[in-house]
Amino acid sequence: GDIQTTAASSVLELLSVDVAMVTVFDDRRHILPPTVADIAAVPLKAPALSRAVKPLVASIQPSQPLAISRLRTEMPKIARATGLQSLLGVPIVLRDGQIGIIWAGYRSERDWQAREISLLSIFANQLSQTIARARLLHIEQERRQVADTLRETAQMFTRLRTVEGIYELIFDQLERVLDFDTASLMLRRDDRVFVIGGRGFAPDAQITDLSFALSDDANLRNVVETKRPMVLDDAQLHPNFVVVPETEHIHGWIAAPLLVDDDVIGLLCVDSKNVGAYDEEAANITFALASQAAQALRNARLYAEVTQLNADLEQRVLERTAELQEEQDRLRAVHAITLELTATLELQPTLNRALELAADAVDARRGSIMLRETNSLDLICRAVLNSEGLAETTDIRMDFGQSGGLVGWVMQSGDAVCIPDVRTDPRWHQDESRAGDVRSVIAAPLLMQDGPLGVLMLSSPRPDFFREAQVQLLTTIANEIAIVLHNATLYNIISELANEKGTAEAQQREENSKNQAILSSLGEGVIVLDEEQQVVLFNPAAEMMLGIPSSYITGQSLEYLLEFPDPSGNAIRAGQMYEGINQGLVALVEQSKNYNRMLSLPSPGQTIAMNFAPWVGPRGATFGSVVVLRDVTREIESDRAKRDFISSVSHELRTPLTSIKGYVDLLLLGAAGPVAESQLSFLNVVKNNANRLMDLINDILEIGRIDSDKIQLTFEPVDIREIFTDVLQTLRVQIDRKAMIASVEVADDVPEVTADMRRMTQVVLNLASNAVKYTFPEGRFMMRSFLNPAGMLQIDVEDSGVGISVEDQRNLFRRFQRFDNPLRDEAGGTGLGLSIAKSFVELHGGEMWVTSEPGQGSTFSFIIPVTQPELVDSD
């Protein structure tokens, strides 16, 4: 202002004009109030002159003076407003642009000389330097004031401990460095900000009731997300500004974040009713104050938390000290009780003394101990306090009604309980036989791992007699009592077991003598071995059967058989004995059930059936193994002779039967002359029965070869599709006669298999023939082949026939088995086909089974490997 006044006066003297004026712009090129010097002292207010020349400001360019000699003619409005007739304007220019204008004017018309314009331009240049220095000085002073304010604010913040004091200090310091109409402070919680304080609002303004959702206010959300301040020239014109009550006056607006460790905890908003009131520098000042306020708020909160934690810690120390003292008293009482209770292992004295000690620990004069009865699970009162506080032995069965009362609740929940007044607790069951003046009760279960043993209960005729703190004490005492009772019970049990054991050992010795006599008299050999395969028993029958003395092997390991000095010098026999018995013992362990096997011995030839079973004790414990030996040499020889006889007879029958079939065929062909219709019928009967007899003989011979291991399989690549085709052709007459539907289903991925072509065809033909025989006319059957999940070839023969019951399925594959069904007589057969087919499948390394329900049909299935193992090995 002083510079402008001096400059205007200097222009008057320099150019001898009537009026001189200096107009300066602010940073936004707004015209600041001008300074006027009038030589004639004509009253002319600066604002009026400023408004008058405002239209000329835009016409003056940097370094381009504006000279108007006849203002009345060129700009009559300005002439009337200023009273001037000629006007000269020269811009005041700095490096960064125009900062003002020097005006000189006359009240009369005249032409401006070049000397006057030049002289005023030189003066304007000098004035610009002076104004620049003054502005720098002003800016430096403002910055120092801001820095001093921030420093003082930081020092004052460090002394504040309350949040309210920090709010007031923020606004006080803000007024020192920034002009504002209103300011508000907001704290953030999740997606909302809440106004917690303000300055400049009306006394009745409820600004602390305001809150804003960040999702609804884009400006506030932007400040939170960017963590940088935001400046608006005119908030009312900004599309994202949210107008609420008490904010209608806002035009210039700043919002700065309160940052703590890169987290926005709130916002400081400053606003003005003037448009364009704030710039970036004002925003940075606000941001700096907001950052200091954020740290102060965090420190105040931490101080409050630490203060509260200290107070809580002191209170906890006091409480814990009292608890420790009470715990110490409780431990002393428990220790004393434990010492006394462990002095004896007799059950009833322990119960009585435990009740007395527990009552003394909580100053009770009434109480009882109730134990659960092992057999009935009822509660028996075993000890009760008398009027003198001494425990008496009782044996009273307790009844607490259907609900079980308080005792039942304690037993079921396993928790101790303290009831201040039983009259207000529904769990209390009042019995006429018990004292009716009981008011308060404390009870605890006598707990063990397998459940509660009983309940320890103490009572008083006074309400609120017991404290909750005594519940823990009584629980600890009850646990100690439970342990002592458990030990006492174990002591009694061990004493009883010791007596029983003595009796049992005497009985065992007598029983062993009897068993020894029985085993010695048995006709079957018996070998008993322990878990380490040490021979415990080797009876006389085993001696005779194996030719090994009992004295040699008893008490020795089974491997000792390998060293037996056979008088005949045949060491192979003893080795085979060991291998046969040892393999049976291994199989017994693996299968976990009884196991049978045969043992063939040479020199002399002998076959022994061995049965292996575990040696199980009275309580299910396994002590070893038992091997029962039976000499079946004669049975084997007799069975072999029987098979040889049947095979020989079958071979002998085939010759005359073949002749009978041949001559019957000749007669049917008319070789002996014409055959009458009745004779033809008789000959067909003879032929059919001869065929059935031939099939029976062939089956018997096949069975004989299977039993004697004389079956030789010829393995070759086999296509199962060819087998299905041959079987269908063979059965075509029977299928057509019964009008059946036959189908074949072979999966695409079924390969050729390695098998005996003739035997596989025989197996499938047998299953398919049975399906046709045991299915009613117009029925159906299917032959299906695929690879099962294990990669083996599976063949199913499914029919819609009569089906097989579950009971008959158990014996289905046994020889000569035929079962009742509606088609049995019509189908005929020997009952050997399925047994033979199953044997052929097993010789291929496969398995056969059936799935059936009566009246629903049957499905016979078998599986065989795609490649035989021995052929793979040979390759």
Side-chain angles (χ1 to χ4, degrees):
D2 295 340
I3 294 173
Q4 288 177 260
T5 301
T6 303
S9 301
S10 299
V11 171
L12 286 178
E13 296 177 1
L14 182 65
L15 299 180
S16 300
V17 294
D18 296 332
V19 176
M21 181 178 66
V22 179
T23 302
V24 180
F25 306 150
D26 64 9
D27 294 339
R28 300 174 181 271
R29 286 190 59 79
H30 295 155
I31 301 174
L32 299 177
T35 301
V36 181
D38 191 344
I39 195 168
V42 176
L44 182 61
K45 293 182 180 181
L49 183 60
S50 179
R51 288 195 298 273
V53 300
K54 190 175 182 179
L56 298 174
V57 171
S59 301
I60 296 180
Q61 300 298 324
S63 303
Q64 296 293 326
L66 175 66
I68 303 175
S69 299
R70 294 168 180 78
L71 195 60
R72 181 183 299 175
T73 303
E74 298 181 21
M75 295 181 177
K77 290 184 179 180
I78 297 176
R80 287 194 299 272
T82 60
L84 301 176
Q85 298 302 320
S86 60
L87 186 66
L88 174 62
V90 176
I92 305 170
V93 180
L94 284 175
R95 290 189 304 273
D96 53 351
Q98 186 174 321
I99 64 172
I101 303 173
I102 297 177
W103 301 97
Y106 289 98
R107 289 187 173 89
S108 60
E109 294 182 359
R110 68 184 299 275
D111 293 328
W112 294 96
Q113 302 299 317
R115 172 183 168 278
E116 293 174 328
I117 297 173
S118 176
L119 189 60
L120 190 59
S121 297
I122 294 171
F123 185 80
N125 184 44
Q126 293 176 348
L127 181 59
S128 69
Q129 301 300 321
T130 304
I131 293 175
R133 288 193 294 269
R135 282 189 172 183
L136 289 175
L137 179 61
H138 181 68
I139 292 172
E140 181 64 24
Q141 290 174 345
E142 287 184 344
R143 287 179 177 175
R144 286 183 179 181
Q145 183 180 0
V146 170
D148 293 340
T149 301
L150 292 176
R151 184 171 58 255
E152 293 174 7
T153 303
Q155 293 174 353
M156 297 174 70
F157 274 148
T158 59
R159 295 193 294 269
L160 291 175
R161 294 291 182 266
T162 63
V163 176
E164 292 76 10
I166 293 173
Y167 300 163
E168 294 301 321
L169 180 60
I170 291 173
F171 296 128
D172 291 344
Q173 298 302 98
L174 191 61
E175 287 179 340
R176 294 178 57 185
V177 296
L178 206 63
D179 293 331
F180 62 87
D181 292 312
T182 58
S184 58
L185 184 65
M186 295 179 256
L187 290 184
R188 176 188 170 207
R189 241 186 350 256
D190 298 328
D191 188 47
R192 295 191 72 83
V193 289
F194 300 84
V195 179
I196 60 172
R199 178 70 62 84
F201 294 95
D204 58 346
Q206 302 294 324
I207 61 170
T208 55
D209 295 336
L210 297 177
S211 68
F212 303 91
L214 295 177
S215 57
D216 297 334
D217 195 316
N219 290 335
L220 298 182
R221 183 173 68 252
N222 180 63
V223 174
V224 171
E225 291 176 351
T226 63
K227 302 174 184 176
R228 297 293 304 166
M230 173 180 278
V231 182
L232 299 180
D233 286 342
D234 192 346
Q236 302 297 330
L237 299 180
H238 197 277
N240 294 331
F241 188 75
V242 179
V243 180
V244 296
E246 305 297 334
T247 64
E248 299 87 350
H249 68 283
I250 296 176
H251 289 281
W253 181 78
I254 300 175
L258 275 66
L259 278 177
V260 173
D261 296 334
D262 204 39
D263 183 29
V264 179
I265 67 170
L267 298 168
L268 177 60
C269 294
V270 180
D271 50 71
S272 172
K273 61 185 177 183
N274 297 322
V275 176
Y278 304 118
D279 55 12
E280 288 298 326
E281 185 174 356
N284 290 333
I285 294 173
T286 306
F287 186 28
L289 271 175
S291 299
Q292 290 186 345
Q295 296 297 327
L297 286 173
R298 183 181 70 168
N299 294 338
R301 288 180 177 177
L302 291 176
Y303 177 78
E305 292 176 1
V306 170
T307 303
Q308 184 62 40
L309 286 175
N310 287 335
D312 293 343
L313 183 59
E314 291 178 1
Q315 182 63 30
R316 290 181 182 178
V317 168
L318 293 176
E319 294 175 355
R320 186 55 182 161
T321 301
E323 291 176 359
L324 289 175
Q325 183 61 43
E326 189 173 348
E327 182 71 17
Q328 185 178 11
D329 296 339
R330 183 162 59 244
L331 291 175
R332 287 174 180 172
V334 172
H335 179 65
I337 292 173
T338 303
L339 289 178
E340 288 205 40
L341 293 182
T342 54
T344 178
L345 289 175
E346 296 184 14
L347 183 59
Q348 193 58 50
T350 300
L351 290 174
N352 294 345
R353 187 55 183 156
L355 180 59
E356 293 172 354
L357 294 173
D360 290 341
V362 295
D363 295 328
R365 290 295 175 265
R366 296 184 179 180
S368 60
I369 291 180
M370 291 159 279
L371 297 184
R372 183 182 62 187
E373 193 174 46
T374 304
N375 297 329
S376 64
L377 300 182
D378 292 339
L379 284 175
I380 308 297
C381 183
R382 300 294 300 273
V384 65
L385 288 176
N386 58 24
S387 57
E388 299 177 358
L390 299 177
E392 296 180 351
T393 301
T394 60
D395 189 13
I396 304 173
R397 190 174 298 275
M398 308 302 293
D399 182 11
F400 297 100
Q402 294 182 351
S403 64
L406 178 63
V407 175
W409 183 89
V410 173
M411 289 283 287
Q412 185 175 3
S413 66
D415 296 328
V417 65
C418 177
I419 301 178
D421 191 346
V422 297
R423 297 182 182 179
T424 62
D425 195 302
R427 294 172 294 183
W428 180 256
H429 177 76
Q430 182 62 46
D431 197 322
E432 296 180 357
S433 61
R434 286 187 285 168
D437 59 348
V438 173
R439 294 297 299 275
S440 57
V441 169
I442 187 170
L446 306 177
L447 289 177
M448 291 303 295
Q449 292 182 350
D450 56 348
L453 298 175
V455 176
L456 167 62
M457 179 181 291
L458 302 174
S459 62
S460 172
R462 288 190 297 167
D464 298 314
F465 181 78
F466 302 105
R467 306 186 308 277
E468 284 293 336
Q470 292 175 322
V471 173
Q472 182 61 36
L473 174 60
L474 192 67
T475 300
T476 306
I477 294 173
N479 290 336
E480 293 297 326
I481 294 174
I483 293 172
V484 174
L485 291 181
H486 182 67
N487 293 339
T489 304
L490 288 179
Y491 173 74
N492 292 336
I493 293 174
I494 291 172
S495 299
E496 293 176 359
L497 288 177
N499 295 332
E500 292 177 359
K501 184 178 181 181
T503 304
E505 286 179 351
Q507 295 175 349
Q508 185 67 34
R509 286 193 294 270
E510 182 179 355
E511 188 69 24
N512 288 342
S513 299
K514 294 179 181 178
N515 291 339
Q516 188 71 27
I518 293 172
L519 290 174
S520 299
S521 61
L522 283 177
E524 295 178 336
V526 178
I527 304 174
V528 180
L529 303 100
D530 62 13
E531 292 180 323
E532 303 297 329
Q533 290 196 3
Q534 300 284 334
V535 178
V536 177
L537 176 68
F538 201 83
N539 76 339
E543 288 183 326
M544 295 181 61
M545 200 174 299
L546 300 179
I548 297 177
S550 174
S551 58
Y552 174 80
I553 194 64
T554 303
Q556 301 292 335
S557 173
L558 184 64
E559 294 182 352
Y560 200 54
L561 279 175
L562 298 174
E563 302 178 8
F564 177 65
D566 194 331
S568 63
N570 188 1
I572 297 177
R573 182 179 176 86
Q576 290 182 343
M577 290 181 194
Y578 169 76
E579 289 297 331
I581 297 174
N582 184 61
Q583 291 175 8
L585 294 174
V586 171
L588 176 65
V589 173
E590 292 176 350
Q591 298 183 11
S592 301
K593 62 180 181 180
N594 290 8
Y595 176 73
N596 299 316
R597 67 171 296 158
M598 304 296 291
L599 175 63
S600 298
L601 298 176
S603 302
Q606 189 178 17
T607 302
I608 298 174
M610 298 187 295
N611 177 267
F612 296 84
W615 175 14
V616 182
R619 300 180 184 273
T622 301
F623 298 132
S625 308
V626 177
V627 185
V628 178
L629 311 176
R630 187 166 64 88
D631 192 340
V632 294
T633 305
R634 292 185 178 180
E635 288 87 340
I636 295 296
E637 293 176 351
S638 175
D639 188 58
R640 185 180 298 113
K642 180 179 64 177
R643 288 198 304 270
D644 293 343
F645 174 75
I646 293 175
S647 177
S648 177
V649 169
S650 299
H651 277 288
E652 293 298 327
L653 288 174
R654 290 184 66 174
T655 301
L657 188 59
T658 301
S659 177
I660 292 172
K661 286 183 61 180
Y663 279 104
V664 169
D665 290 337
L666 290 174
L667 291 174
L668 289 172
L669 293 173
V675 180
E677 190 69 28
S678 59
Q679 293 173 336
L680 183 63
S681 175
F682 293 154
L683 288 174
N684 283 326
V685 171
V686 173
K687 179 180 180 180
N688 289 337
N689 282 278
N691 288 333
R692 292 179 62 184
L693 184 59
M694 181 61 73
D695 290 340
L696 175 60
I697 292 172
N698 290 333
D699 288 345
I700 292 175
L701 291 175
E702 201 76 83
I703 288 293
R705 284 191 290 269
I706 292 173
D707 289 342
S708 60
D709 294 331
K710 293 181 179 179
I711 297 294
Q712 297 293 328
L713 299 180
T714 302
F715 291 112
E716 59 181 323
V718 174
D719 188 347
I720 197 63
R721 298 172 182 80
E722 296 181 5
I723 293 179
F724 284 175
T725 302
D726 293 345
V727 169
L728 284 179
Q729 290 177 353
T730 303
L731 299 176
R732 178 55 59 190
V733 175
Q734 302 177 40
I735 293 172
D736 294 342
R737 185 173 66 248
K738 301 183 75 171
M740 292 180 64
I741 299 174
S743 59
V744 173
E745 182 180 302
V746 180
D748 295 338
D749 60 345
V750 172
E752 288 187 343
V753 298
T754 304
D756 187 310
M757 179 71 174
R758 186 170 68 87
R759 300 300 186 185
M760 277 295 102
T761 304
Q762 186 175 347
V763 171
V764 177
L765 178 61
N766 179 275
L767 299 180
S769 175
N770 286 344
V772 174
K773 290 179 182 178
Y774 294 103
T775 300
F776 293 102
E778 298 183 359
R780 59 175 178 78
F781 87 96
M782 172 189 284
M783 293 184 293
R784 179 170 50 244
S785 177
F786 58 93
L787 293 178
N788 71 357
M792 300 182 73
L793 177 69
Q794 179 169 333
I795 295 178
D796 296 340
V797 179
E798 180 181 345
D799 63 61
S800 61
V802 296
I804 307 168
S805 67
V806 176
E807 183 178 354
D808 290 342
Q809 290 178 34
R810 298 187 187 125
N811 301 317
L812 185 63
F813 295 102
R814 296 180 63 180
R815 297 172 183 177
F816 302 105
Q817 293 293 325
R818 300 191 68 213
F819 305 104
D820 290 334
N821 61 67
L823 298 178
R824 172 179 173 174
D825 295 338
E826 178 183 339
T830 62
L832 292 175
L834 286 178
S835 176
I836 294 172
K838 187 173 186 295
S839 297
F840 287 156
V841 169
E842 290 174 350
L843 288 173
H844 280 76
E847 182 182 355
M848 179 179 288
W849 68 93
V850 65
T851 304
S852 179
E853 290 185 18
Q856 302 297 321
S858 305
T859 300
F860 282 83
S861 306
F862 69 88
I863 56 175
I864 60 172
V866 174
T867 304
Q868 293 298 317
E870 57 269 22
L871 296 182
V872 173
D873 293 340
S874 64
D875 293 342

